[in-house]
Amino acid sequence: MIQFEDVVIKYGDFTAMHDFTMVINEGEFFTLLGPSGCGKTTILRSLAGFVDVSSGAIKVNGQIINDVPTEKRNIGIVFQSYALFPTMNVYDNIAFGLKVKKLGKNEIRDLVLEITRKVELGEEQLYKNVSELSGGQQQRVAIARAMILKPGILCLDEPLSNLDAKLRGQLRHELKILQRDLGITTIYVTHDQEEALTLSDRIAVFNKGHLEQVGTPFEIYNESNSSFVCDFIGDINTCTGRTIDSINGQSEKKFDRDKPAYLRIERILTGTANPGPKYVKLRGSVIDREYNGIFTKYFYDVDGEILKGLERNIGAEPGAVGDAVDLFINPEDIKQF
Ligand SMILES: Nc1ncnc2c1ncn2[C@@H]1O[C@H](COP(=O)(O)OP(=O)(O)OP(=O)(O)O)[C@@H](O)[C@H]1O
Ligand SMILES: [Mg+2]
């Protein structure tokens, strides 16, 4: 178990992380999510011992590690930039940590082959120079190099962000399976909300050095506890003024018309019949749409306000620009803070 207790991290006069408290459980896949500059890498650095905490305590299995030197923390790190040794071949990159530990040649060889298989790197890659590998292969080497030391904690700092979308999706899935098989406590850093939702047991969302929310992907998405989390995770409608009046007028709800009201785009239903007694109806017209294969995202003009909706593409195209549509909304799905 990893505990951050009232931790503050500063670079000189600048406070990169304000007082935060957070627990990461044994074997958990825990993601730090937030926009660029919010402090994700800073937290990893503090855990690994590359930056000191200004106040508070970091504990691993109940022991305060604030003053434990980096090399004694038993933490593996994979950086966004791979940070492989460019003059060494793949084998030597992966074996590096074991050589430092002065393990025997044969033992090192067995362990390198074992981890190479786990990260699905072909044996024929082992004697290539790292510069001859693709981005995805280099990333596998970086993961193998960290994993081979059997760290108690694995930290991955945006490991997939340099890869193309398809490979990112594939490696993401493999990483999750590997992590599950090894049961290693993993802290994963990303600013990609989809990656966070698909991979994590739990997610911590950060905003400008503040911890906004910790929860399961379901909780973060469906029970966002602030405007920031609502906006940052997924696609969302921000309803204002007249739309709020119309919803208030048709329901028992009394949303504040002067504050944004949030509604997930897939919660807007369309059709000819009201889907249920709780739903209110808004009249809209299609002003634009984005086809993405499985879904089409629609942009509706509702009395001057633009709302977005999502339709599954099953067979016929659901609508065209200019079509008038009835939009059904359950006021229970709306959040205001
Ligand atoms: N060595 C440093 N000295 C001074 N300020 C720093 C240092 N490293 C980071 N910062 C600042 O601390 C804040 C958090 O940086 P950090 O690298 O943790 O962000 P991040 O969430 O990892 O961002 P990104 O997604 O861009 O990697 C930023 O405002 C950054 O400018
Ligand atoms: Mg970073």
Side-chain angles (χ1 to χ4, degrees):
M1 185 165 73
I2 305 164
Q3 291 159 283
F4 291 86
E5 288 179 354
D6 304 315
V7 169
V8 176
I9 309 168
K10 293 184 178 181
Y11 295 109
D13 290 340
F14 174 72
T15 304
M17 280 305 306
H18 298 268
D19 191 333
F20 76 104
T21 294
M22 178 169 91
V23 175
I24 299 162
N25 297 311
E26 201 63 34
E28 197 166 28
F29 198 114
F30 192 92
T31 295
L32 312 181
L33 176 69
S36 186
C38 72
K40 306 177 295 292
T41 298
T42 297
I43 294 173
L44 284 196
R45 281 201 199 122
S46 72
L47 179 62
F50 298 134
V51 57
D52 290 331
V53 302
S54 305
S55 62
I58 304 179
K59 293 181 184 168
V60 175
N61 299 329
Q63 305 279 330
I64 296 181
I65 60 159
N66 290 26
D67 297 323
V68 174
T70 298
E71 63 277 10
K72 297 227 168 94
R73 292 194 186 190
N74 190 24
I75 294 173
I77 302 192
V78 175
F79 298 98
Q80 176 177 356
S81 54
Y82 317 137
L84 297 173
F85 305 113
T87 57
M88 293 182 194
N89 68 18
V90 171
Y91 184 96
D92 290 336
N93 262 280
I94 297 176
F96 182 79
L98 299 180
K99 284 185 184 159
V100 171
K101 281 189 167 179
K102 301 207 164 26
L103 264 66
K105 247 197 166 119
N106 290 338
E107 197 181 348
I108 290 180
R109 190 173 169 79
D110 290 347
L111 289 168
V112 169
L113 290 177
E114 184 192 337
I115 197 74
T116 304
R117 272 194 299 275
K118 283 214 175 97
V119 300
E120 296 188 19
L121 204 63
E123 236 175 272
E124 69 282 3
Q125 312 289 355
L126 281 175
Y127 299 98
K128 284 188 178 167
N129 194 283
V130 292
S131 62
E132 297 172 67
L133 303 184
S134 70
Q137 290 166 336
Q138 289 190 37
Q139 203 48 270
R140 287 167 208 263
V141 175
I143 292 168
R145 189 179 60 176
M147 292 283 214
I148 202 167
L149 295 170
K150 302 206 162 62
I153 300 164
L154 180 64
C155 296
L156 300 161
D157 194 349
E158 312 222 21
L160 308 180
S161 55
N162 287 339
L163 309 176
D164 68 57
K166 181 121 196 194
L167 187 59
R168 200 158 63 220
Q170 183 192 334
L171 219 53
R172 170 167 96 194
H173 187 65
E174 290 172 15
L175 198 59
K176 177 74 191 166
I177 291 171
L178 186 66
Q179 192 269 344
R180 202 183 294 153
D181 287 352
L182 299 179
I184 185 168
T185 307
T186 300
I187 306 183
Y188 190 89
V189 165
T190 184
H191 58 257
D192 179 336
Q193 40 109 357
E194 189 186 317
E195 215 167 271
L197 291 173
T198 49
L199 277 172
S200 318
D201 293 314
R202 285 190 307 147
I203 299 169
V205 184
F206 293 88
N207 175 23
K208 293 188 187 139
H210 291 276
L211 175 57
E212 287 270 337
Q213 187 172 4
V214 180
T216 61
F218 184 91
E219 287 164 347
I220 295 287
Y221 187 82
N222 292 293
E223 294 152 28
S224 308
N225 69 3
S226 65
S227 299
F228 177 82
V229 176
C230 267
D231 268 331
F232 193 71
I233 296 275
D235 210 343
I236 204 151
N237 286 301
T238 311
C239 311
T240 53
R242 270 187 286 181
T243 305
I244 294 178
D245 291 341
S246 172
I247 293 165
N248 282 344
Q250 297 179 62
S251 69
E252 309 281 278
K253 294 281 181 187
K254 291 292 160 267
F255 294 109
D256 184 345
R257 77 181 312 280
D258 296 321
K259 280 207 241 157
Y262 296 94
L263 174 66
R264 293 275 170 216
I265 70 170
E266 72 278 13
R267 299 283 176 165
I268 293 187
L269 306 181
T270 56
T272 44
N274 194 321
K278 285 189 171 160
Y279 282 77
V280 303
K281 182 164 100 175
L282 301 176
R283 287 290 287 169
S285 63
V286 177
I287 54 167
D288 204 357
R289 53 181 193 171
E290 288 173 357
Y291 178 79
N292 99 334
I294 304 172
F295 294 98
T296 298
K297 185 155 120 186
Y298 282 88
F299 297 79
Y300 304 108
D301 181 333
V302 179
D303 203 7
E305 180 156 41
I306 293 168
L307 296 183
K308 293 170 283 184
L310 208 60
E311 295 286 336
R312 270 179 75 194
N313 297 326
I314 33 176
E317 293 209 349
V321 172
D323 285 359
V325 250
D326 286 337
L327 307 176
F328 297 100
I329 293 168
N330 183 346
E332 300 291 339
D333 290 333
I334 295 174
K335 284 196 167 49
Q336 222 171 24
F337 301 100

